[in-house]
Amino acid sequence: MAEKRQIYSVSDINRKARMVLESAMGELWVEGELSRVTIHSSGHWYFTLKDAGAAVSCAMFARDNAGVAFRPKDGMQVQMLARPSLYEASGRYQLIASEMEEAGKGNLQEQFEKLKAKLDAEGLFSRDRKKPLPLLPKKIGVVTSPTGAAIRDIINVLTRRFPNIEILLAPVTVQGPAAAKSIANAINYLNKRNVKQPIDVLIVGRGGGSIEDLWAFNEEVVARAIAESEIPVISAVGHEIDFTIADFTADVRAPTPSAAAELAVREKGDLEDEVSLYQRRLNESLVRMQRDFQLRLNRAAHSYVFREPAVLVKQYRQKILSLEMRMGDLLKLESQTIFQRLERSSTRMEYLLESGVLQAHQRVDELSLLMRHEMERKAERSRQRFQSLESQLRMLNPMAVLGRGYSLTRRPDGSVVRSAEDVKKGDALITALADGKVVSKVTEKE
């Protein structure tokens, strides 16, 4: 007896193939070039991923592509996390993507660029909001790890440059999920504390590391805390080649923690040398001023004024008398001049008033004549207009045509008869002629 066959449908085979494929490989990262990108109205993406030697159909559903920071297009090189699968309806092998990044530009870098653009648009990087560093800070706040190399470098540089400066450490976590919140809280705390115990400068940072190690200083919460700080902030994150969002929002960016300490405070010896220099210059200026005043005093003591003061007083008295006499003459002359000007002004005003009155009378006469002529012209135009309208009215009078042999036939109710169809045998009609009316009765119609 023949063995009974087990028959599978095509759907069964494709389903089994899909299950084997998905369970055997799982998710994996794959890189390639996008082509034939189709963005469906449902929000799903369908495209082909290819390289120099092969191509594979791919799909990325709306729930997954909502988190992608860019819009895919043909020719774009991408990396994506995907699981191999099989589209049962056609038996086509495909990749189902759950994450996608531009190749050569990791997700962290994308986040960095996106946040940088956002904060820049808000004006947090503007030079106008940067605060200057104080010339001689008394107390410096440091926000960093208490166990890292950064705090040791900062303390060494500060104490070497200015041994008696006060350093206040706000210990924080500089790496890991809780780091950003820890740094922001420390900055906010030092600003609140600053009301009662002033802090002149903040140094915020850590030593070098990878982009993942430094990522806390790229978080928005840290950037906003730095931007809102009333205390000037020096960012000191990583090495000279490292740049973080904190560097852009801080008032001053230092390439290293040690450099930040150097920017925060000057060398005490340099300041002392400057003070000594200014003191010497001040003493020299005072000596010169004293010498100048002494010379001026000696010249004044030997001058004519001090030797013969009575003569000087007599000269000034004579000058005052001369000025009094001159002032009297000027006042007398001025009063005469004013009186003459008033007389001339009065005469001229009388003439102008008389002339103005005569001109006004003449103008009134002219206007009266013009008004009479204008009224006559308007009356003539109105009379001509009336005659024209009267003539038109006579021409439009329907009864005027009766004088030329025409007649107007009406029914007894006054309606006009316009056609033979409007009357019937036996109807009474009233015919209007030029000199009277004729009443008739219809006996026959043709």
Side-chain angles (χ1 to χ4, degrees):
M1 184 177 179
E3 185 178 354
K4 188 176 181 180
R5 296 177 180 175
Q6 185 174 1
I7 307 298
Y8 294 94
S9 66
V10 176
S11 298
D12 292 336
I13 294 296
N14 283 354
R15 188 177 303 110
K16 286 181 177 295
R18 179 181 62 81
M19 294 172 64
V20 170
L21 190 60
E22 292 179 353
S23 60
M25 299 187 68
E27 285 191 322
L28 45 82
W29 282 95
V30 60
E31 180 174 340
E33 179 183 334
L34 297 178
S35 67
R36 302 179 64 183
V37 176
T38 300
I39 299 177
H40 197 271
S41 59
S42 62
H44 304 326
W45 296 350
Y46 301 98
F47 52 93
T48 298
L49 191 68
K50 65 180 183 179
D51 59 19
V56 59
S57 297
C58 304
M60 191 172 192
F61 300 119
R63 67 175 183 274
D64 297 317
N65 64 41
V68 178
F70 60 91
R71 197 171 183 83
K73 58 185 179 181
D74 290 355
M76 184 178 287
Q77 195 76 12
V78 300
Q79 293 179 353
M80 66 183 194
L81 181 63
R83 55 181 174 82
S85 185
L86 185 137
Y87 183 51
E88 295 180 19
S90 64
R92 186 180 70 251
Y93 162 70
Q94 63 179 2
L95 297 178
I96 306 298
S98 58
E99 294 181 28
M100 183 183 293
E101 301 172 2
E102 289 186 71
K105 193 172 185 181
N107 191 45
L108 289 181
Q109 185 65 27
E110 289 181 20
Q111 294 179 40
F112 176 91
E113 297 294 345
K114 186 175 181 180
L115 180 59
K116 180 183 174 184
K118 173 185 175 182
L119 299 182
D120 189 19
E122 292 182 21
L124 266 65
F125 303 161
S126 173
R127 286 186 173 273
D128 296 337
R129 55 160 298 278
K130 304 291 185 183
K131 295 179 285 296
L133 300 181
L135 176 63
L136 186 59
K138 297 179 180 179
K139 181 184 292 187
I140 295 179
V142 181
V143 178
T144 190
S145 169
T147 59
I151 185 61
R152 293 194 297 272
D153 293 341
I154 291 171
I155 292 174
N156 288 337
V157 173
L158 289 177
T159 54
R160 185 184 72 247
R161 293 171 71 84
F162 213 99
N164 57 336
I165 196 166
E166 187 176 351
I167 303 171
L168 178 63
L169 172 64
V172 295
T173 302
V174 295
Q175 188 171 334
K181 191 66 175 176
S182 175
I183 296 167
N185 288 341
I187 295 171
N188 295 333
Y189 167 75
L190 291 178
N191 273 269
K192 292 178 181 178
R193 189 180 186 276
N194 186 49
V195 177
K196 295 182 179 180
Q197 299 177 323
I199 300 172
D200 301 298
V201 182
L202 290 184
I203 297 176
V204 179
R206 57 154 291 162
S210 65
I211 187 172
E212 291 81 8
D213 296 336
L214 306 181
W215 191 253
F217 296 90
N218 289 322
E219 294 284 359
E220 184 172 357
V221 64
V222 173
R224 294 197 180 277
I226 292 174
E228 293 167 5
S229 174
E230 296 181 359
I231 307 170
V233 176
I234 303 175
S235 67
V237 184
H239 302 301
E240 188 169 357
I241 60 172
D242 297 320
F243 276 89
T244 64
I245 298 296
D247 293 328
F248 297 107
T249 53
D251 298 295
V252 176
R253 185 247 175 187
T256 63
S258 298
E262 292 176 355
L263 290 170
V265 65
R266 295 179 60 184
E267 287 274 5
K268 186 176 182 180
D270 293 343
L271 291 171
E272 289 174 343
D273 291 342
E274 285 190 18
V275 171
S276 299
L277 176 62
Y278 290 140
Q279 188 173 9
R280 287 196 303 272
R281 289 179 179 176
L282 179 60
N283 290 334
E284 292 171 358
S285 297
L286 290 173
V287 170
R288 284 195 300 272
M289 289 176 63
Q290 181 185 12
R291 187 165 51 247
D292 292 342
F293 280 123
Q294 186 66 47
L295 289 172
R296 291 171 62 184
L297 181 60
N298 291 337
R299 284 197 297 269
H302 293 84
S303 67
Y304 177 76
V305 175
F306 282 95
R307 285 188 287 108
E308 299 290 341
V311 175
L312 183 64
V313 171
K314 184 178 180 180
Q315 290 177 352
Y316 276 111
R317 184 178 288 116
Q318 290 175 350
K319 190 173 182 178
I320 291 171
L321 291 174
S322 176
L323 290 172
E324 286 179 350
M325 293 177 61
R326 181 172 173 77
M327 184 179 295
D329 293 340
L330 288 174
L331 288 174
K332 186 177 179 180
L333 178 62
E334 184 68 19
S335 63
Q336 292 175 355
T337 302
I338 292 173
F339 181 74
Q340 292 173 358
R341 288 172 63 186
L342 286 174
E343 285 187 337
R344 288 197 299 270
S345 298
S346 176
T347 303
R348 179 171 175 76
M349 187 175 296
E350 289 177 359
Y351 170 76
L352 291 174
L353 286 172
E354 183 178 357
S355 176
V357 170
L358 292 175
Q359 290 182 10
H361 280 299
Q362 184 178 356
R363 181 62 176 162
V364 169
D365 292 342
E366 291 176 354
L367 292 174
S368 177
L369 182 61
L370 288 173
M371 186 181 296
R372 184 165 61 252
H373 289 166
E374 183 65 23
M375 291 178 65
E376 289 175 355
R377 283 196 298 272
K378 285 187 176 181
E380 178 61 24
R381 286 198 299 270
S382 298
R383 185 182 62 78
Q384 293 176 358
R385 177 65 175 164
F386 176 77
Q387 290 176 350
S388 174
L389 292 173
E390 184 181 28
S391 175
Q392 292 177 19
L393 184 61
R394 282 197 302 269
M395 292 176 64
L396 294 173
N397 184 0
M399 302 304 293
V401 299
L402 300 181
R404 299 197 296 270
Y406 293 94
S407 63
L408 180 64
T409 303
R410 301 176 183 270
R411 294 188 181 86
D413 60 3
S415 60
V416 176
V417 178
R418 303 179 186 279
S419 171
E421 299 297 328
D422 294 342
V423 299
K424 60 183 182 293
K425 191 175 181 179
D427 285 349
L429 300 175
I430 301 172
T431 302
L433 302 172
D435 56 352
K437 297 179 180 179
V438 174
V439 178
S440 61
K441 186 176 183 179
V442 178
T443 59
E444 188 177 350
K445 286 177 58 176
E446 293 184 0

